[in-house]
Coordinates of all heavy atoms in Angstrom, one line a residue:
Q23 N 5.6 8.0 13.6 CA 5.9 7.8 15.0 C 5.9 6.3 15.3 O 5.0 5.6 14.8 CB 4.8 8.5 15.9 CG 4.7 10.0 15.8 CD 3.6 10.5 16.7 OE1 2.5 10.4 16.3 NE2 4.0 11.0 17.9
V24 N 6.9 5.9 16.0 CA 6.9 4.5 16.5 C 6.8 4.6 18.0 O 7.7 5.2 18.7 CB 8.2 3.8 16.1 CG1 8.3 2.4 16.6 CG2 8.4 3.8 14.5
M25 N 5.8 3.9 18.6 CA 5.6 4.0 20.0 C 6.3 2.8 20.7 O 6.7 1.9 20.1 CB 4.1 3.9 20.3 CG 3.2 4.9 19.5 SD 3.8 6.6 19.6 CE 3.1 7.1 21.1
P26 N 6.4 2.9 22.0 CA 7.1 1.9 22.8 C 6.5 0.5 22.6 O 7.2 -0.5 22.6 CB 6.9 2.3 24.3 CG 6.8 3.8 24.2 CD 6.1 4.1 22.9
D27 N 5.2 0.4 22.3 CA 4.5 -0.9 22.1 C 4.6 -1.4 20.7 O 4.0 -2.3 20.2 CB 3.1 -0.9 22.6 CG 2.2 0.0 21.7 OD1 2.7 0.7 20.8 OD2 1.0 0.1 22.0
Q28 N 5.4 -0.7 19.8 CA 5.7 -0.9 18.4 C 4.5 -0.5 17.5 O 4.5 -0.9 16.4 CB 6.0 -2.4 18.2 CG 7.4 -2.8 18.8 CD 8.5 -1.9 18.4 OE1 8.8 -1.8 17.2 NE2 9.1 -1.2 19.3
T29 N 3.5 0.2 18.1 CA 2.5 0.8 17.2 C 3.2 1.9 16.3 O 4.0 2.6 16.8 CB 1.4 1.5 18.1 OG1 0.7 0.5 18.9 CG2 0.4 2.2 17.3
V30 N 2.8 1.8 15.1 CA 3.4 2.8 14.1 C 2.3 3.7 13.6 O 1.2 3.2 13.1 CB 4.1 2.1 12.9 CG1 4.6 3.1 11.9 CG2 5.2 1.2 13.4
I31 N 2.4 5.0 13.8 CA 1.5 6.0 13.3 C 2.1 6.8 12.2 O 3.2 7.4 12.5 CB 1.0 6.9 14.5 CG1 0.4 6.1 15.7 CG2 0.0 7.9 14.0 CD1 0.3 6.9 17.0
Y32 N 1.5 6.8 11.0 CA 2.1 7.5 9.9 C 1.1 8.5 9.4 O 0.0 8.1 9.1 CB 2.5 6.6 8.8 CG 3.5 7.2 7.8 CD1 4.8 6.9 7.8 CD2 3.0 8.2 6.9 CE1 5.7 7.5 6.9 CE2 3.8 8.8 6.0 CZ 5.2 8.5 6.0 OH 6.1 9.1 5.1
Y33 N 1.5 9.8 9.4 CA 0.6 10.8 8.9 C 1.1 11.3 7.6 O 2.2 11.7 7.4 CB 0.6 12.0 9.9 CG -0.2 13.2 9.4 CD1 -1.6 13.1 9.4 CD2 0.4 14.3 9.0 CE1 -2.4 14.2 9.0 CE2 -0.4 15.4 8.5 CZ -1.7 15.4 8.5 OH -2.5 16.4 8.0
Y34 N 0.2 11.2 6.6 CA 0.5 11.7 5.2 C 0.0 13.1 5.1 O -1.2 13.3 5.1 CB -0.2 10.8 4.2 CG 0.3 9.4 4.2 CD1 -0.4 8.4 5.0 CD2 1.3 9.0 3.4 CE1 0.1 7.1 5.0 CE2 1.8 7.6 3.4 CZ 1.1 6.7 4.2 OH 1.6 5.4 4.2
A35 N 0.9 14.0 5.0 CA 0.6 15.5 5.1 C -0.3 15.9 3.9 O -1.3 16.6 4.1 CB 1.8 16.3 5.2
D36 N 0.1 15.5 2.7 CA -0.6 15.9 1.5 C -2.0 15.4 1.5 O -3.0 16.2 1.2 CB 0.1 15.5 0.2 CG 1.3 16.4 -0.2 OD1 1.4 17.4 0.4 OD2 2.1 16.0 -1.1
A37 N -2.2 14.2 1.9 CA -3.6 13.6 1.9 C -4.3 13.8 3.2 O -5.5 13.5 3.3 CB -3.5 12.1 1.6
K38 N -3.6 14.4 4.2 CA -4.2 14.6 5.5 C -4.8 13.3 6.0 O -6.0 13.2 6.5 CB -5.2 15.7 5.5 CG -4.6 17.1 5.2 CD -5.7 18.2 5.2 CE -5.1 19.5 4.9 NZ -4.5 19.7 3.7
T39 N -4.1 12.2 5.9 CA -4.5 10.9 6.3 C -3.6 10.3 7.3 O -2.4 10.4 7.2 CB -4.6 10.0 5.0 OG1 -5.5 10.5 4.1 CG2 -5.0 8.5 5.3
T40 N -4.1 9.6 8.3 CA -3.3 9.0 9.3 C -3.5 7.4 9.2 O -4.6 6.9 9.1 CB -3.7 9.4 10.7 OG1 -3.6 10.8 10.8 CG2 -2.9 8.7 11.8
H41 N -2.4 6.7 9.1 CA -2.4 5.3 9.0 C -1.7 4.7 10.3 O -0.5 4.9 10.4 CB -1.6 4.9 7.7 CG -1.6 3.4 7.5 ND1 -1.0 2.8 6.4 CD2 -2.1 2.3 8.2 CE1 -1.1 1.5 6.4 NE2 -1.7 1.2 7.5
T42 N -2.4 4.0 11.1 CA -1.9 3.5 12.3 C -1.9 2.0 12.2 O -2.8 1.3 11.8 CB -2.8 3.9 13.6 OG1 -2.9 5.3 13.6 CG2 -2.2 3.4 14.9
T43 N -0.7 1.4 12.5 CA -0.5 -0.1 12.5 C -0.2 -0.5 13.9 O 0.8 -0.1 14.5 CB 0.6 -0.5 11.5 OG1 0.3 0.1 10.2 CG2 0.7 -2.0 11.4
Y44 N -1.0 -1.3 14.5 CA -0.8 -1.8 15.8 C 0.0 -3.1 15.8 O 0.1 -3.8 14.8 CB -2.2 -2.0 16.5 CG -3.0 -0.8 16.7 CD1 -3.9 -0.3 15.7 CD2 -2.8 0.0 17.8 CE1 -4.6 0.9 15.9 CE2 -3.5 1.2 18.0 CZ -4.4 1.6 17.0 OH -5.0 2.8 17.1
S45 N 0.6 -3.4 17.0 CA 1.5 -4.6 17.1 C 0.8 -5.9 16.8 O 1.4 -6.8 16.4 CB 2.2 -4.6 18.4 OG 1.3 -4.6 19.4
D46 N -0.6 -5.9 17.0 CA -1.4 -7.1 16.7 C -1.7 -7.3 15.3 O -2.4 -8.2 14.9 CB -2.6 -7.2 17.6 CG -3.6 -6.1 17.3 OD1 -3.4 -5.3 16.4 OD2 -4.7 -6.0 18.0
G47 N -1.3 -6.3 14.4 CA -1.6 -6.3 13.0 C -2.8 -5.5 12.5 O -3.0 -5.3 11.3
L48 N -3.6 -5.0 13.4 CA -4.7 -4.1 13.1 C -4.2 -2.9 12.4 O -3.2 -2.3 13.0 CB -5.6 -3.8 14.3 CG -6.7 -2.8 14.1 CD1 -7.7 -3.3 13.1 CD2 -7.3 -2.4 15.4
E49 N -4.7 -2.5 11.3 CA -4.4 -1.2 10.7 C -5.6 -0.3 10.6 O -6.7 -0.8 10.2 CB -3.9 -1.4 9.2 CG -2.6 -2.2 9.2 CD -2.0 -2.3 7.8 OE1 -2.0 -1.3 7.1 OE2 -1.7 -3.5 7.4
V50 N -5.5 1.0 11.0 CA -6.6 1.9 11.0 C -6.1 3.1 10.1 O -5.1 3.7 10.4 CB -6.9 2.4 12.4 CG1 -8.1 3.4 12.4 CG2 -7.4 1.2 13.3
L51 N -7.0 3.4 9.1 CA -6.7 4.6 8.3 C -7.8 5.6 8.6 O -9.0 5.3 8.5 CB -6.7 4.2 6.8 CG -5.6 3.3 6.4 CD1 -6.0 1.9 6.2 CD2 -5.0 3.9 5.1
Q52 N -7.4 6.9 8.9 CA -8.3 7.9 9.1 C -8.1 9.0 8.1 O -7.0 9.6 8.0 CB -8.1 8.5 10.5 CG -8.4 7.5 11.6 CD -8.0 8.0 13.0 OE1 -6.8 8.1 13.3 NE2 -9.0 8.3 13.8
F53 N -9.1 9.3 7.3 CA -9.0 10.2 6.2 C -9.6 11.6 6.6 O -10.4 11.7 7.5 CB -9.8 9.7 5.0 CG -9.3 8.4 4.4 CD1 -9.8 7.2 4.9 CD2 -8.3 8.3 3.5 CE1 -9.3 6.0 4.4 CE2 -7.8 7.1 3.0 CZ -8.3 5.9 3.5
S54 N -9.2 12.6 5.9 CA -9.5 14.0 6.2 C -11.0 14.2 6.1 O -11.6 15.1 6.8 CB -8.8 15.0 5.3 OG -9.1 14.8 4.0
N55 N -11.7 13.4 5.3 CA -13.2 13.6 5.2 C -14.0 12.9 6.3 O -15.2 12.9 6.3 CB -13.7 13.1 3.8 CG -13.6 11.6 3.7 OD1 -13.0 10.9 4.5 ND2 -14.1 11.1 2.5
G56 N -13.3 12.3 7.2 CA -14.0 11.6 8.3 C -14.1 10.1 8.2 O -14.5 9.4 9.1
Q57 N -13.8 9.6 7.0 CA -13.9 8.2 6.7 C -12.8 7.5 7.5 O -11.7 7.9 7.6 CB -13.7 7.9 5.3 CG -13.8 6.4 4.9 CD -13.8 6.1 3.4 OE1 -14.5 6.8 2.7 NE2 -13.0 5.2 3.0
I58 N -13.2 6.3 8.1 CA -12.2 5.5 8.9 C -12.3 4.1 8.4 O -13.4 3.5 8.3 CB -12.6 5.5 10.4 CG1 -12.4 7.0 11.0 CG2 -11.6 4.6 11.2 CD1 -13.0 7.1 12.4
E59 N -11.1 3.5 8.1 CA -11.1 2.1 7.6 C -10.2 1.3 8.6 O -9.2 1.8 9.1 CB -10.4 2.0 6.3 CG -11.2 2.6 5.2 CD -10.6 2.3 3.8 OE1 -9.7 1.4 3.7 OE2 -11.0 2.9 2.8
K60 N -10.8 0.1 9.0 CA -10.0 -0.8 9.9 C -9.8 -2.0 9.1 O -10.7 -2.6 8.5 CB -10.9 -1.1 11.1 CG -11.1 0.0 12.0 CD -11.9 -0.4 13.3 CE -12.1 0.9 14.2 NZ -13.0 0.5 15.3
H61 N -8.5 -2.4 9.0 CA -8.1 -3.6 8.3 C -7.6 -4.6 9.3 O -6.5 -4.3 9.9 CB -7.0 -3.3 7.2 CG -7.4 -2.3 6.2 ND1 -7.0 -2.4 4.9 CD2 -8.3 -1.3 6.2 CE1 -7.5 -1.5 4.1 NE2 -8.3 -0.8 4.9
Y62 N -8.3 -5.7 9.5 CA -8.0 -6.6 10.6 C -7.0 -7.6 10.1 O -6.9 -7.9 8.9 CB -9.3 -7.3 11.1 CG -10.2 -6.4 11.8 CD1 -11.2 -5.7 11.1 CD2 -10.1 -6.2 13.1 CE1 -12.0 -4.8 11.8 CE2 -10.9 -5.3 13.8 CZ -11.9 -4.6 13.1 OH -12.7 -3.7 13.8

């Protein structure tokens, strides 16, 4: 998904993982086990 503010949300179906990239460069990965990673 590409949002109006250029945020990109990518959901990997096999891994059940969501990777969100914000326009300011912050990346957030949310894993199916509940782990969340923020890459600044």
